[in-house]
Amino acid sequence: MKRYELIAPCHFGMEAVLKREITDLGYDVSHVEDGRVTFIGDDEAICRANIGLRTAERILVKVGSFHAETFDELFENTKELPWEMYIPVDGKFWIAKAASIKSRLFSPSDIQSIMKKAMVERLKQVYHVNWFAEEGQNFPVRVFLMKDTVTVGLDTTGDSLHKRGYRKYIAKAPIAENLAAAMIMLTPWKSERILVDPFCGSGTIPIEAALMAANIAPGMKRGFTALRWEHLISKKIWDDCYEEAREQVDLSVSVKIEGYDIDPEMVKIAKQNAHLAGVEHLIHFDIKDVGQLANEGKYGFIITNPPYGERLEEKTTIPTLYKKLGEQFRALDTWSLYLITSYEEAQRDIGRKADRNRKVYNGMIKTYYYQFMGPRPPRKTSNIENSVIKV
């Protein structure tokens, strides 16, 4: 199989989580930078990464990288890339997105236009044609410019990987599925421990936790752009990777995952989404105010995405809401609290300084992921240690 350099973009601040995921899949990470992890893999890696990675945005095949300070350099260097290795004569190709940071070339529309022309010129020479009908499969290209270094990737994914397919109904301020998964993966939560989201909205955090507990791959029920690239990846490889994911599912797992919201409509939506995800039997949803947050269990986790106060109608109620959360959390004296918010007075109103916090971008909003650690549960004593040897 051909080996590729694969690029997996992710939320800024979640690179370490994605790196661990890629390593756990069995692939070597070659480079980590803000918002992207690069790794080495073959045809199968493209399939397995799309189906199995929970925290990535998409999977790109790196076509090449080069230095460009002028549009002439951008054109000539783009033209030098081996596009014919990927795009057949009938392929539909375009620059789907161009992003530029600290570079002399900064206009996305100009970058897209010039690179498309360069691709056409290259493929005209290779295929000995004067124009392209572009009636075949899609080959979207994404480009990143950082300090005049241009990185070019062919998008194997299509719709972002956060679109698992289960969230047909959403809340007013939903959290992306891959960010919710990353939040959970940054905690020590395991399926035998309690997890509660008291601001569950459309249910994303509890659903992502249930998918993890049941070992359901996030991309198992969706398709990808590269599924139709049969000249690069055979259908059998895709079929084998989907089958591998199905074989790992365990719907009989016993978990305690709960989601609450004060809005009855949101709870209804959360239940519908959990049903579409196939995990409704693993989550208990209920209508509750955060002031009713209580649980008799020990060493549980609150993982949540509370309102940030970004809307005018929320600003007067936000301090009280965070104070309520802090009060209920203190009563759960063995629990841990993990929350993402842009509200700057979160720690003050909760009544405790976070043990850790991590800057994360939730869409275009700069937020902090606050981590309030509870005590570790006592170590389980093995049967051997408990046994008494009699002579």
Side-chain angles (χ1 to χ4, degrees):
M1 289 187 183
K2 181 176 172 57
R3 292 181 68 75
Y4 300 97
E5 211 173 349
L6 303 173
I7 304 170
C10 64
H11 285 272
F12 283 89
M14 295 302 183
E15 298 85 3
V17 185
L18 177 54
K19 178 184 177 182
R20 188 171 74 234
E21 271 202 283
I22 292 168
T23 302
D24 287 346
L25 271 183
Y27 302 110
D28 293 329
V29 171
S30 57
H31 190 57
V32 179
E33 55 194 312
D34 288 347
R36 293 202 298 276
V37 179
T38 302
F39 63 105
I40 308 300
D42 54 15
D43 304 6
E44 186 181 75
I46 294 172
C47 307
R48 295 182 73 229
N50 272 301
I51 294 169
L53 291 179
R54 298 183 188 278
T55 61
E57 293 279 353
R58 59 188 66 251
I59 304 300
L60 309 174
V61 173
K62 184 177 178 180
V63 180
S65 63
F66 52 82
H67 187 86
E69 298 181 16
T70 68
F71 285 122
D72 283 342
E73 289 178 325
L74 180 67
F75 180 90
E76 293 300 331
N77 284 310
T78 301
K79 187 179 173 184
E80 287 298 311
L81 296 176
W83 295 106
E84 65 277 6
M85 287 178 55
Y86 309 98
I87 303 173
V89 67
D90 66 341
K92 180 180 180 181
F93 56 95
W94 72 102
I95 309 298
K97 184 176 181 180
S100 178
I101 300 173
K102 298 179 181 178
S103 298
R104 289 171 176 81
L105 303 178
F106 57 84
S107 167
S109 59
D110 289 335
I111 293 166
Q112 289 169 297
S113 175
I114 287 166
M115 292 187 71
K116 167 74 176 191
K117 289 176 183 176
M119 293 171 68
V120 169
E121 287 303 309
R122 168 81 181 204
L123 293 175
K124 279 169 64 176
Q125 292 175 10
V126 172
Y127 291 125
H128 306 292
V129 297
N130 291 321
W131 68 282
F132 295 94
E134 298 194 51
E135 295 174 342
Q137 300 307 324
N138 292 334
F139 293 86
V141 176
R142 290 181 171 247
V143 184
F144 312 98
L145 283 79
M146 169 61 79
K147 296 181 180 179
D148 300 323
T149 295
V150 183
T151 303
V152 186
L154 196 63
D155 182 9
T156 72
T157 302
D159 287 340
S160 171
L161 289 176
H162 82 266
K163 296 184 178 181
R164 321 291 206 209
Y166 67 75
R167 200 164 71 175
K168 302 297 184 185
Y169 312 94
I170 60 173
K172 291 180 182 177
I175 188 168
E177 293 91 320
N178 55 351
L179 181 54
M183 288 172 58
I184 298 166
M185 293 170 74
L186 276 170
T187 77
W189 178 76
K190 302 293 181 186
S191 58
E192 64 270 15
R193 306 273 290 275
I194 304 167
L195 186 153
V196 176
D197 180 359
F199 303 98
C200 73
S202 50
T204 307
I205 292 174
I207 291 171
E208 288 295 317
L211 291 174
M212 290 180 198
N215 209 22
I216 298 173
M220 196 176 73
K221 297 181 180 180
R222 56 161 287 178
F224 308 97
T225 298
L227 264 168
R228 298 181 179 274
W229 299 354
E230 294 190 30
H231 64 299
L232 294 176
I233 308 172
S234 73
K235 183 177 182 297
K236 184 180 186 309
I237 292 176
W238 280 106
D239 290 344
D240 289 346
C241 291
Y242 278 115
E243 182 59 28
E244 176 191 40
R246 284 191 290 269
E247 288 175 352
Q248 293 175 356
V249 174
D250 179 12
L251 292 175
S252 66
V253 64
S254 177
V255 292
K256 291 183 179 179
I257 301 173
E258 302 175 0
Y260 306 130
D261 202 282
I262 196 172
D263 185 344
E265 185 61 25
M266 284 296 98
V267 173
K268 178 182 176 182
I269 286 172
K271 289 179 178 178
Q272 290 172 319
N273 288 336
H275 173 74
L276 290 170
V279 293
E280 71 273 23
H281 66 293
L282 299 178
I283 309 170
H284 173 71
F285 289 109
D286 205 352
I287 304 164
K288 281 187 183 180
D289 178 79
V290 67
Q292 296 174 284
L293 174 62
N295 197 295
E296 293 181 359
K298 299 291 185 181
Y299 306 102
F301 290 77
I302 302 167
I303 306 177
T304 192
N305 175 41
Y308 299 172
E310 298 286 334
R311 297 186 183 86
L312 285 175
E313 66 268 23
E314 294 175 344
K315 290 192 180 295
T316 57
T317 61
I318 286 298
T320 301
L321 183 147
Y322 280 78
K323 286 174 183 175
K324 279 186 182 180
L325 176 60
E327 289 169 5
Q328 302 309 113
F329 173 50
R330 281 190 291 277
L332 296 165
D333 58 353
T334 62
W335 283 50
S336 299
L337 167 64
Y338 297 80
L339 67 91
I340 186 170
T341 184
S342 66
Y343 177 52
E344 294 182 356
E345 304 299 336
Q347 295 176 96
R348 181 200 68 187
D349 291 342
I350 288 171
R352 174 177 160 184
K353 181 176 172 56
D355 297 290
R356 296 178 189 169
N357 72 70
R358 178 185 294 252
K359 184 165 68 174
V360 179
Y361 278 86
N362 184 2
M364 298 303 292
I365 302 173
K366 183 175 77 172
T367 64
Y368 285 91
Y369 186 42
Y370 293 108
Q371 302 165 64
F372 302 88
M373 313 292 195
R376 291 184 179 183
R379 179 171 169 267
K380 291 181 179 179
T381 306
S382 69
N383 290 332
I384 295 174
E385 291 174 335
N386 282 333
S387 65
V388 177
I389 302 174
K390 295 182 179 180
V391 180

